[in-house]
Amino acid sequence: MMFKFLFLTFFCGAVFIQAKGQSVFNIADYGAKNDGTTNNAVAIQKAIDACAAAGGGKVLVPAGGTFLTGPFELKSNITFEVGNNAKLLASPDESLYTQSAFRENKGEGTMWISGHNLENVTICGAGTLDGNGISFMGKELDDSYELKPFDIVDPRPHLLTIIGGRNIRIRDLTIRNSAYWTVHLVGCDDAAIDNITLLNSLKVRNSDGIDVDHSKNVRISNSYIESGDDCICLKNRREFAEFGVCENITVNNCTMTSRSCAVKIGSENMDSIRNVVFNNCIITESNRGIGIQNRDEGTVTNVIFSDIIVDSHLFSDVWWGKAEPIYVTAYRRATANHKDAGWRLPKGQKEGKVGKVCNISFRNIQCISENGIYVSAESADKVSDIYFDQVSVNIAKTTAIPGGSYDRRPSNADPFVQGSTAAFYLDNATGITIRNSSVKWGINPPAYYTHVVEAHKVVDLKISQLDGHSAFPGKVKDQQIDNVLK
């Protein structure tokens, strides 16, 4: 009975199997070799092109073996499946990587697997996409790798970049060892990432896990992510301005570890990020837990974080962050003579502006950290209507790295705010509500651990049912509230 659904078809010199309407294009039939040394980019591209020309189907990386490859491009209407125990490995030959990941901006990496204006694409399988990232690194340091110098083009490949996509699915897959950003969705509408394991080296800088850029109606769920840089980041890069706002994003049931910020909104945001929900997640052994880092003229509005456990610790200053479990800031970006500016500022300008962050809710969040929650802006109108409900903050010293500061990079303000560590440190904001929350301090607290709440130049601060005392009861006030206006 099976054979009435299966027949062989010859296409472009290769054999594929058609089963109930779906054609299977095995890359081995197009000359791909699983010897771990042959560059299979031409064979893989032939399989993809043939699949697309046939009206769609499945491109298969067959089970078992390692298929080395340089860059290649996906096409619409295909399922790209990496078979059980198969590995697609990025070639370490830097000369192969010439196409910039950010168009005319050639100094922030290239593309390995990419696709432009795609529809109806699924990337899946029980195998692995391996970016071979360590091979692109310089010398190994204590908690990072040196970045190799380059002239114009930084050859480090982003693992997967989709620019202009609709009905994109990434599921049931292991993705690992990226040299730069890992999954970058640009201008995508209706994208879902589900049940992936994403494992980057925690020492590789810029190795973001998932970047949702100018995209809409995106769902990320049931995944485990380790990244040297941000695990999940929402943004609006200036290079892709024509795609508009980033909106209607949900993230559920994910576990994350990061040396930068596990969950981040910003810092690149030249448009609007809105209508976002993060729910039921665990953040472990991260530098910063949840961060809204607005540094450009775009706005961040209507965001809910709920039912999240955050575990954050101090790491070296190579990584942005000072173990803040929750971080909400709005400062204009560092000026053009700063290494982070460049393409981030509007063309022809030497100083940018910063948009508002408002209507942000944190509900049922458990924080275990070396630092406290930090909310700050360049003026009180830039951060407003921030709600903390059922937020527990447990602060304890867990590393030998000095604390007592907050990290405002990359901004035109002083990069680090030196001073005390309060459970809630609020500076220049409007409409902050803290209720039904608690604060605890670990044993042997350092001298810079101080208040439950420290507030400066806050308009309309509301505190109710906040349980806890200062780190040194009898010596330090529970609350230090300065210049607060109703």
Side-chain angles (χ1 to χ4, degrees):
M1 296 295 292
M2 179 183 300
F3 292 101
K4 72 179 183 180
F5 299 117
L6 299 176
F7 56 90
L8 297 179
T9 303
F10 293 88
F11 193 92
C12 293
V15 178
F16 65 84
I17 299 174
Q18 185 166 301
K20 275 197 169 182
Q22 185 176 50
S23 304
V24 178
F25 296 76
N26 190 321
I27 66 169
D29 294 333
Y30 291 81
K33 299 178 180 179
N34 64 351
D35 55 13
T37 58
T38 301
N39 179 5
N40 291 295
V42 171
I44 294 170
Q45 195 65 61
K46 284 182 178 179
I48 291 171
D49 292 348
C51 183
K58 178 187 295 184
V59 175
L60 178 65
V61 180
T66 296
F67 293 86
L68 189 78
T69 179
F72 62 90
E73 291 194 29
L74 302 172
K75 299 292 178 66
S76 293
N77 303 312
I78 71 168
T79 295
F80 189 87
E81 181 174 333
V82 186
N84 186 36
N85 203 33
K87 179 190 291 186
L88 207 61
L89 179 66
S91 171
D93 183 354
E94 294 184 357
S95 68
L96 298 175
Y97 301 93
T98 58
Q99 188 174 9
S100 169
F102 296 107
R103 295 177 169 170
E104 292 81 7
N105 175 8
K106 301 181 184 300
E108 296 186 57
T110 58
M111 292 189 281
W112 180 39
I113 304 172
S114 64
H116 296 75
N117 303 317
L118 299 181
E119 291 188 358
N120 311 320
V121 171
T122 295
I123 303 168
C124 63
T128 300
L129 299 177
D130 191 320
N132 207 2
I134 304 304
S135 67
F136 297 90
M137 296 298 112
K139 182 174 67 175
E140 184 174 6
L141 307 175
D142 287 342
D143 66 352
S144 64
Y145 286 94
E146 284 186 348
L147 302 181
K148 294 180 182 178
F150 62 90
D151 186 11
I152 297 173
V153 177
D154 184 346
R156 287 184 294 159
H158 296 226
L159 196 146
L160 172 63
T161 307
I162 297 176
I163 302 174
R166 188 173 183 87
N167 190 23
I168 305 299
R169 303 291 183 264
I170 304 170
R171 59 173 174 80
D172 307 321
L173 185 67
T174 297
I175 305 174
R176 63 185 304 134
N177 198 16
S178 184
Y180 222 111
W181 291 6
T182 311
V183 177
H184 187 194
L185 303 179
V186 184
C188 291
D189 190 351
D190 183 15
I193 299 174
D194 182 65
N195 192 35
I196 70 166
T197 298
L198 196 159
L199 302 172
N200 287 335
S201 169
L202 294 173
K203 290 189 173 185
V204 173
R205 286 179 268 181
N206 311 121
S207 63
D208 292 23
I210 301 170
D211 290 280
V212 180
D213 191 353
H214 290 283
S215 292
K216 304 171 181 63
N217 307 311
V218 178
R219 292 87 67 201
I220 302 171
S221 58
N222 307 313
S223 295
Y224 178 73
I225 303 170
E226 290 184 2
S227 291
D229 219 300
D230 312 316
C231 290
I232 297 175
C233 187
L234 314 184
K235 57 182 63 202
N236 289 308
R237 289 276 301 212
R238 204 169 296 280
E239 296 92 337
F240 304 106
E242 76 271 20
F243 288 110
V245 304
C246 182
E247 65 181 354
N248 305 335
I249 314 297
T250 62
V251 178
N252 299 283
N253 308 330
C254 292
T255 301
M256 294 163 274
T257 295
S258 170
R259 287 298 171 266
S260 195
C261 189
V263 170
K264 188 167 86 172
I265 297 177
S267 64
E268 299 98 344
N269 181 27
M270 51 72 62
D271 204 305
S272 175
I273 300 172
R274 63 196 184 203
N275 303 336
V276 176
V277 173
F278 283 83
N279 174 256
N280 201 39
C281 293
I282 297 173
I283 295 169
T284 65
E285 299 180 6
S286 287
N287 185 6
R288 180 180 284 156
I290 301 168
I292 297 177
Q293 188 183 55
N294 214 31
R295 296 294 182 270
D296 301 306
E297 67 270 25
T299 58
V300 180
T301 57
N302 301 336
V303 183
I304 296 173
F305 299 95
S306 62
D307 301 326
I308 300 174
I309 296 173
V310 177
D311 170 45
S312 56
H313 306 268
L314 288 163
F315 294 91
S316 79
D317 285 345
V318 165
W319 308 104
W320 289 351
K322 285 293 182 182
E324 307 97 341
I326 296 174
Y327 177 90
V328 181
T329 62
Y331 286 90
R332 69 191 68 186
R333 183 171 294 281
T335 50
N337 62 354
H338 187 277
K339 65 179 181 180
D340 182 66
W343 287 82
R344 308 292 199 276
L345 295 173
K347 190 173 182 179
Q349 295 187 20
K350 294 185 177 181
E351 184 171 358
K353 299 178 181 179
V354 65
K356 293 183 178 181
V357 176
C358 65
N359 199 19
I360 314 296
S361 296
F362 299 91
R363 299 171 180 166
N364 194 25
I365 313 291
Q366 295 187 14
C367 305
I368 304 166
S369 62
E370 286 192 79
N371 205 348
I373 293 169
Y374 184 63
V375 179
S376 182
E378 65 179 32
S379 59
D381 63 312
K382 296 299 184 182
V383 168
S384 62
D385 300 319
I386 313 296
Y387 302 93
F388 298 98
D389 188 6
Q390 301 178 70
V391 175
S392 65
V393 185
N394 298 279
I395 305 179
K397 197 78 184 83
T398 56
T399 71
I401 298 174
S405 63
Y406 304 92
D407 189 346
R408 296 193 297 199
R409 294 177 290 178
S411 73
N412 260 355
D414 291 337
F416 299 104
V417 178
Q418 304 294 336
S420 63
T421 290
F424 292 85
Y425 191 103
L426 316 172
D427 180 29
N428 261 341
T430 301
I432 307 295
T433 299
I434 305 171
R435 60 191 177 196
N436 305 320
S437 297
S438 64
V439 173
K440 293 182 180 178
W441 306 88
I443 60 173
N444 302 317
Y448 55 81
Y449 281 8
T450 55
H451 312 286
V452 172
V453 177
E454 183 170 344
H456 306 281
K457 295 175 287 186
V458 176
V459 179
D460 193 14
L461 172 61
K462 298 182 179 70
I463 301 174
S464 63
Q465 299 185 25
L466 175 57
D467 183 31
H469 53 70
S470 66
F472 297 95
K475 295 182 179 180
V476 177
K477 295 185 297 183
D478 290 346
Q479 298 182 9
Q480 179 178 329
I481 311 295
D482 297 332
N483 308 115
V484 173
L485 302 175
K486 294 294 185 183

